[in-house]
Amino acid sequence: MAEIDKPRREVDVPGDWTYASAPESRDIVHIRDRYGYYVGGEWLEPAETYETISPRDEEPLAAVGQATAEDVGRAVAAARTAYADGWSSLPGSERAKYLFRIARILQERSREFAVLESLNGGKPIKESRDVDLPLAAAHFFYYAGWADKLEYAFPNRRPRPVGVAGQIIPWNFPLLMLAWKVAPALACGNTVVLKPAETTPLSALLFCDVLRQAELPDGVVNIVTGDGRTGAALVESEDVDKIAFTGSTEVGKEIQRRLAGTGKRLTLELGGKAANIVFDDAALDQAVEGIVNGIYFNQGHVCCAGSRLFVQESIYEPLVAKLERRLTTLRVGDPLDKNSDVGAINSAAQLEKIRELVASGVEEGAEIYQPPCVLPEKGYWFVPTVFTNVAQSYRIAQEEIFGPVLSVLTFRTPEEAVEKANNTPYGLSAGVWTEKGSRILWMAQRLRAGVVWANTFNRFDPGSPFGGYKESGFGREGGRHGLEPYLEFDE
Ligand code: NAI
Ligand code: MG
């Protein structure tokens, strides 16, 4: 028998191709037992603390201060002193140096920050590593570049800083939202008191260490922690000149009422219920990737998430089939595992809200699809979910779920797509998938949304302004537009 004809010995082929876990080491992060407030370059001891945990297993991470109105007052006073003592009159080129330094230090320490962000917030490490951290550093780089060019950004308008900015941020992108708020404020010569969200304070507290490394003058950035009461105290603080808020529409409205008539400046970046619209000439596999990225990125804890999918009727069946098949390949699990696509839900309260809205969808008559999926026993988890057979009036088509839950609806004509997409109190973002450039422009002109993505979704760049219409808020962050809320003009 010729050599080649010999029967081959059976090779041992593994039958199971699931990924082995690849956990990121957490040794790089040192979490203290207890944190105070960072005020005037010093750590203030808190009178009262609460425990911040990891949503992946409810492990306690640290005791964090619950700042009182008095603590907030100290932070605002420190910011005022730093403002008057030189920061506001420092040449822009000098302010830029600090911002460049902060950007570089964030890059150098990015792994440490990424691990901490995933640990405290629940987002998969591949997102904190590849999205949150690079973008946060990019924001500081970008606004460093504007600091000495404000007169060119606003010719003949004599830009000058507003004063002390009070900034309140949410838990879905803790460090990135800090960067969106702090970078433009400092570039324009303001000083800052920032309050991170109660469930995710740790990256903001680690950022204080970056400020020290960068030798930012004391009091230019102050960080106070605590829940909504601390936020409310910051809003009400008399010596704050401007409030910047990102969070729920409910709290945004409350803040706007509180500030009415005070003369304080305000920007609000609130909720969303974005339409992701797929036409029958779109590249379907690419669209499926965009839909998945649009709603399952960061467990759907994204204000601009593509939570309403509008599919042109002729491609409804193949698209939904592809989408459901794709869902079976999403790996839900440990945020610190480099193979995880979907991490933990941020908090018990948020998980409860998602469950309640999903139950309402089933009750109202929508059809639910969830891929087979084994969830960890401890911690807060929700299986990526798709609802079909959704009517526009259902709560899952109207309310922000802020979780990994997609509602699929259909349309026939571009006019109908626009009408249905705009049928929401929100207006933060939208996506359009089509081969036709002219149709993209036609749609973008008619969609009432601050950002319209074409053949992509959830793309961010510091040079591109972001913000809403209607109940999604007002004011823009990012780009040259993002400077304006932090400047006064002599006109
Ligand atoms: P929230 O609006 O209560 O919290 C956001 C921030 O505001 C936190 O730092 C919080 O401590 C602070 N805050 C709460 N009450 C305040 C008050 N009266 N005055 C000043 N600051 C206050 O949002 P929450 O309760 O965490 O989430 C509820 C829902 O809001 C979510 O399910 C989601 O639908 C939406 N949301 C939207 C976000 C967005 O990026 N647009 C971010 C977070 C939540
Ligand atoms: Mg709340």
Side-chain angles (χ1 to χ4, degrees), residues 59-81:
E59 172 200 4
L61 296 176
V64 175
Q66 167 64 47
T68 61
E70 218 172 44
D71 299 322
V72 171
R74 282 198 199 103
V76 172
R80 176 62 61 193
T81 305

Side-chain angles (χ1 to χ4, degrees), residues 40-54:
E42 303 285 332
W43 287 101
L44 292 190
E45 204 24 54
E48 192 193 319
T49 61
Y50 70 95
E51 206 159 64
T52 184
I53 64 164
S54 179

Side-chain angles (χ1 to χ4, degrees), residues 168-172 195-198 226-228 231-232 235 245-248 251 254-255 269-271 303 350 353 400-402:
I168 300 165
I169 56 172
W171 40 264
N172 51 345
K195 192 201 83 66
E198 52 270 42
D227 60 16
V235 169
F245 173 80
T246 298
S248 63
V251 172
E254 168 71 19
I255 291 176
E269 202 265 272
L270 310 175
C303 47
Q350 189 58 35
K353 174 179 168 180
E400 184 177 51
I401 301 175
F402 226 61

